[in-house]
Amino acid sequence: MEIGTVAAKATFLLMALSFGVLTYAHVTSDFSVQNVWENSHSQIPLIYKFSGVWGNHEGSMLLWVLILTFFSALVAVFGDNLPETLKANVLAVQAWIAASFSLFILLTSNPFNRLLDAPGEGRDLNPVLQDIGLAIHPPLLYLGYVGFSVCFSFAIAALIEGRIDAAWARWVRPWTLAAWTCLTAGISMGSYWAYYELGWGGWWFWDPVENASFIPWLAGTALLHSALVMEKREALKIWTVLLAIMTFSMSLLGTFLVRSGVLTSVHAFATDPTRGVFILIILILFIGGALSLFAFRAAHLKAGGLFALISREGALVLNNLILTTAAATVLIGTLYPLALRSGDRSENLCRSALLQHDLWTADAAADAGRALRPIACLEARRSARRGTTAVRRGGIRSDCRKCHLLCAKRRPDHGAVRYRAWGLHDRRFADGAFPALRDQAR
């Protein structure tokens, strides 16, 4: 037991040392470090040199693990009232999470990569990030995200022991409240920052990065109320443990969405598929393992006490149902575009790059129009179910969301309407294979 406590404290001190070294490199403008060269400049204010440490993928992941080890150290220091076995299991789960993400940093996101030929000046921090919001928003958000890992570890430790009671809820609730408070403050600060930086204007509707923090907040709110019922009435035991697992699981899922590039966002951290695959493996191991353990142990757990339907506890249960339904709705709305793209063959055929071809003659364009019209109308009917709007371009219906199929341009030198291809669902359109397409359309 003493080894686990000492190891948790030592891990935090070592991570703090690593983070301090990276911060020192940013403050002193050490451009031999690639991370500093890409995200700093010698002339920017000191506060932006500090915030630039986590204003990028590599530095933010180091901050993520630092906060994780910080919570582990807090459990080691203030967990003297916990049973020794429970405390040891909690610290063990925290250590496994920290080890996994430390390995992720070392293999895919090392913030200490060096440049052999050190530049004289840095590339500067993204101007959008040169704001006081960057100094406040990410640390608060990560304190909330990662703080729920303690609740997750308590749930796994309790399932390993097979003992869940009111005392367990009493130990979990302060950690849940602390993480929820930090996440609430982080989301509020991020909302204010996003509003005065970019305004609304449709930028933040179903944005995966924003939802990545909102889903754990909804689940954490439900966990906070459920733990209260369990502490007072010893009811909702199984449900509370499941919520503890799912809240941190949603935090891990948010980390995957933000850093994998599988969903497009105006302020995602990274789009490297290699990093995404690594995080996905971590996601499967911890979430899959936790849910498997829960399924194995749930049948052996007692359901707990009963309470009247019309009571304070009944109202809290209704509150839980509303919050979890809201979280599921936001999760489905966030992941729906990913499922849609993977199942939509026409989207996969769509060219992401804008392709410009020679102007077609008016006769060829007319052939293309006649050939494309039945296909385009069919695609428009399909897209109507997706909520997209078909657009008319030169009399030809086009509804591709990534590129315009055809763009009509009227040349001033003659009256004929010619077409320039910007993006094509099939390269044969660009090759002029109109008779074949016309036959297929018929």
Side-chain angles (χ1 to χ4, degrees):
M1 182 59 219
E2 289 299 324
I3 296 177
T5 301
V6 173
K9 297 175 183 177
T11 304
F12 168 65
L13 292 177
L14 291 174
M15 290 304 305
L17 177 63
S18 299
F19 191 80
V21 170
L22 183 62
T23 303
Y24 180 78
H26 271 264
V27 171
T28 58
S29 299
D30 183 1
F31 298 121
S32 65
V33 179
Q34 184 178 355
N35 184 271
V36 180
W37 171 68
E38 291 179 345
N39 301 283
S40 187
H41 191 278
S42 61
Q43 300 301 318
I44 63 174
L46 183 61
I47 187 173
Y48 298 148
K49 290 185 178 182
F50 274 109
S51 59
V53 176
W54 54 79
N56 55 86
H57 167 72
E58 293 79 7
S60 65
M61 280 308 306
L62 189 63
L63 176 64
W64 203 99
V65 179
L66 173 65
I67 293 176
L68 180 66
T69 56
F70 170 68
F71 276 104
S72 300
L74 288 180
V75 173
V77 172
F78 297 105
D80 294 336
N81 61 330
L82 299 174
E84 289 191 0
T85 306
L86 180 66
K87 182 178 179 181
N89 288 332
V90 169
L91 292 178
V93 176
Q94 289 287 106
W96 276 109
I97 299 173
S100 300
F101 279 97
S102 298
L103 185 63
F104 167 71
I105 292 175
L106 288 174
L107 297 181
T108 68
S109 310
N110 190 351
F112 297 103
N113 287 335
R114 308 283 295 192
L115 298 174
L116 297 179
D117 187 12
E121 191 55 82
R123 297 172 61 181
D124 203 357
L125 182 65
N126 187 335
V128 177
L129 299 180
Q130 294 185 24
D131 189 276
I132 188 64
L134 182 64
I136 303 173
H137 170 58
L140 283 175
L141 208 60
Y142 290 173
L143 283 169
Y145 268 158
V146 185
F148 286 123
S149 67
V150 180
C151 308
F152 176 86
S153 299
F154 267 99
I156 299 302
L159 288 173
I160 292 174
E161 288 190 3
R163 177 190 172 192
I164 300 174
D165 51 21
W168 179 87
R170 190 160 50 251
W171 294 324
V172 168
R173 199 159 64 88
W175 299 103
T176 306
L177 182 60
W180 181 88
T181 302
C182 292
L183 187 59
T184 302
I187 292 175
S188 301
M189 179 62 204
S191 300
Y192 176 67
W193 182 20
Y195 177 75
Y196 76 71
E197 187 69 43
L198 293 175
W200 295 114
W203 283 93
W204 311 110
F205 297 126
W206 291 110
D207 184 85
V209 174
E210 299 298 318
N211 293 347
S213 60
F214 186 50
I215 297 172
W217 184 87
L218 290 170
T221 307
L223 172 61
L224 196 60
H225 291 84
S226 180
L228 181 64
V229 175
M230 182 177 171
E231 182 182 351
K232 300 297 183 183
R233 297 280 187 170
E234 290 201 23
L236 305 179
K237 292 181 179 180
I238 299 175
W239 174 246
T240 304
V241 171
L242 180 60
L243 275 179
I245 293 174
M246 294 308 300
T247 300
F248 184 61
S249 297
M250 292 301 101
S251 297
L252 290 178
L253 179 62
T255 302
F256 169 72
L257 294 178
V258 170
R259 300 174 188 277
S260 63
V262 297
L263 289 175
T264 303
S265 169
V266 296
H267 56 349
F269 261 116
T271 58
D272 187 351
T274 304
R275 294 168 175 170
V277 170
F278 202 112
I279 297 178
L280 184 61
I281 294 173
I282 296 176
L283 200 82
I284 293 173
L285 288 176
F286 283 100
I287 298 179
L291 292 178
S292 299
L293 179 61
F294 175 80
F296 177 74
R297 286 289 197 179
H300 305 287
L301 298 176
K302 295 182 180 179
L306 300 176
F307 51 85
L309 182 62
I310 307 300
S311 62
R312 185 178 68 172
E313 288 75 16
L316 291 175
V317 171
L318 178 62
N319 164 283
N320 265 231
L321 291 175
I322 294 173
L323 289 170
T324 51
T325 302
T329 302
V330 177
L331 178 63
I332 293 172
T334 304
L335 297 181
Y336 179 69
L338 179 61
L340 183 65
R341 282 204 301 269
S342 63
D344 192 344
R345 188 166 177 263
S346 65
E347 285 282 338
N348 293 334
L349 292 173
C350 176
R351 305 290 188 260
S352 60
L354 299 180
L355 305 175
Q356 291 193 359
H357 280 261
D358 294 335
L359 291 174
W360 298 341
T361 62
D363 292 340
D367 285 343
R370 285 192 292 271
L372 288 173
R373 189 180 301 276
I375 301 174
C377 289
L378 177 61
E379 289 296 317
R381 286 196 297 272
R382 290 175 178 172
S383 70
R385 294 194 298 269
R386 300 195 299 261
T388 57
T389 304
V391 188
R392 288 188 175 273
R393 297 279 184 187
I396 300 175
R397 191 178 296 269
S398 168
D399 67 324
C400 177
R401 290 176 296 174
K402 289 185 177 178
C403 58
H404 297 307
L405 183 63
L406 294 172
C407 180
K409 291 184 179 292
R410 184 175 296 277
R411 296 295 295 262
D413 53 344
H414 53 78
V417 177
R418 295 186 177 185
Y419 295 83
R420 183 182 299 274
W422 289 92
L424 302 172
H425 286 280
D426 196 310
R427 189 171 293 279
R428 290 175 298 177
F429 294 166
D431 295 338
F434 302 122
L437 290 174
R438 185 171 60 248
D439 293 340
Q440 290 180 14
R442 290 174 179 173

